[in-house]
Amino acid sequence: MTSLIQNEQVVPARTSSITAEQIRKLYDDGTRAIRNEQLQYAENACYIEGEQWVYRHSTRQEILSLPRDPKKVRATIPRLGPESRRIMAKLLRRPLVFEVDPDPPDDETIRGARLAEGVLTDLARVQKWERLREQVAWSAWKGGTAALCLDWDTSAGRYLGQTISGRDMAQGDVRISALAITEIATEPGTRDIERAYKWVKAEAMPPTEAKKLFGLPKLPPANASSALTPIQAKLARGTNGQLPLNLTLVLTYYERPSTENRRGTVATSIGDEIVDGPYPWPFPFTDRLNLVRVTETIVEGRWTGRTVVSDAVPVQTALNHSWTSTLEHLKQAGNARVQGNSAEQHNAETWTDEPGEFIFYDNDKWEWFGPTPMPEWWMRTPGELAAAMDDILGVHDISRGAAPPNIQSGAGLAILAEQDDSPTGRFAQIIAEAFGDLATMVLQTYEARVPPEETRYAKIHVPGYVSEKFSWHGESFAGQTTARVPFDAVAPINEAARFARAQFFVASKIITTPRQLSSYLDLPGLGGDFITSIDPNVTKARRENYQLAGGDRVSRQHSTIMRS
């Protein structure tokens, strides 16, 4: 839910005189400043989806399809889509893992940190953060920039009743959304959108959903089609060229507290009307906005980034043209025929395009002639373009599971695999840092907005034990709200290389226990019943971690705390 409705009996007054026209002006100015990035996002999205015969119209600021001659061959060799899916599969292979490092090493702080980890893990499972991670990764891959937005949804959680105006109100909970570059706007010239003072989120939804969401007396106008920029309209049409539905454009304005507006502002507009708010800033943090930026490649001096897909698009275009020229040549001059006497020219109307066709004439001379051979550079060009795209995207034979012909050793393959993973690894690190910042904001929000009288429950799972619920509230974290996603836990890995190293470590007696082996391999099968059955220390440590996350105290004298 987009709405940030506060309890009207608690929030005494509205804080700003923001108007729908001002929100729309900020949105229009912000999108105009990043029009080139939005165009690039639209073009890259078309190429990845397989619609590759398009061009950028400089005057109309739109992505248009090239007209097609039905008599001509137009080949599409989709390399960007398959290679992008391969990169995403490698990037998102390992699930998110959250860690909250305790500040002082006392039992109460450690228990609060473990509890915060359990709450984050359960929240990520319930709200399907892995899907959000995939969405934000694809958006950043296509447009260079994406964002994770944090909202406080007052309709989530246990139902409490209705406000004075008749809106449903519940305990409230956080809601996370993944946004593309076409759904974000801020003041032109902003260098760091996370530390800016205001921004606008754009959403398109069915009018009936908007009516229920904001408690409107009548259906709002389906203005998304007319209000969208040409770039956004192209994306909404998809590859079939038709708008899927008549949608309503919803703009949500966020302004964090400052000297000019000490309480901040959150308001939502549809058309020329404010449908929700303005209300005070609902988050405990005031030094940043409620979004986290994700960039594929950082651009100095701008909050927007860029992506290597933009570098691969011209190569994909050249590859399509190369194959189109080859196939057109094959169509027009690819058949071998028999040359005959010109006296039989009147029979030419009966000839066909069948290869090796026999033609009879009154002459003893027979002569075959074949198609003109293509020059070597012509034949070599498609392969060279494909190799250039592999270098741009960082995808080679070893990424596809094929070993180079001149390398046979396991060590050599491991080195190549590690180098091949380097570009993807950097992108994975950026996403991990973004989810770490997001998790920190979530914990800070829970700490401020979940009082002890609103005890909540989460589910924790420890390998070898039955999942159980545990209670928590904001003070249960003991101030431990700084979370992170360890890069080592989500970095792309090569399983064959890892197993080879593990065998070397075991043979060299660097790894001497099953616990060390399972920790290094990081495999679920070896981290459960097998290890706990042969290593009682692991069993005890995991049991104590489970007790800490559930709120039980553990005696320091007998504690064997470790991260499971």
Side-chain angles (χ1 to χ4, degrees), residues 261-276:
N261 183 5
R262 295 189 179 278
R263 300 187 65 188
T265 303
V266 177
T268 303
S269 67
I270 296 178
D272 56 357
E273 181 184 359
I274 297 290
V275 296
D276 185 24

Side-chain angles (χ1 to χ4, degrees), residues 342-420:
S342 60
E344 295 293 325
Q345 187 174 0
H346 63 280
N347 293 326
E349 296 178 356
T350 64
W351 299 349
T352 67
D353 286 337
E354 293 293 331
E357 177 184 7
F358 284 94
I359 304 171
F360 298 95
Y361 54 93
D362 297 334
N363 197 320
D364 294 337
K365 184 178 179 181
W366 292 67
E367 183 177 357
W368 284 90
F369 70 98
T372 303
M374 298 174 64
E376 182 182 357
W377 62 266
W378 190 342
M379 298 293 294
R380 194 173 61 246
T381 298
E384 293 177 347
L385 290 173
M389 182 170 293
D390 289 345
D391 290 337
I392 293 173
L393 298 179
V395 178
H396 303 91
D397 289 339
I398 196 167
S399 301
R400 306 182 183 97
N406 57 339
I407 296 180
Q408 302 294 332
S409 67
L413 293 176
I415 293 173
L416 286 180
E418 183 176 356
Q419 294 298 320
D420 204 51

Side-chain angles (χ1 to χ4, degrees), residues 78-94:
R79 289 292 304 275
L80 264 178
E83 300 299 356
S84 296
R85 287 191 293 272
R86 183 175 288 108
I87 290 172
M88 287 297 150
K90 183 187 300 183
L91 181 69
L92 307 173
R93 179 178 181 181
R94 307 175 70 187

Side-chain angles (χ1 to χ4, degrees), residues 131-143:
R131 293 185 183 179
L132 294 173
R133 179 185 173 199
E134 183 176 3
Q135 292 174 12
V136 77
W138 273 110
S139 297
W141 181 250
K142 294 175 183 178

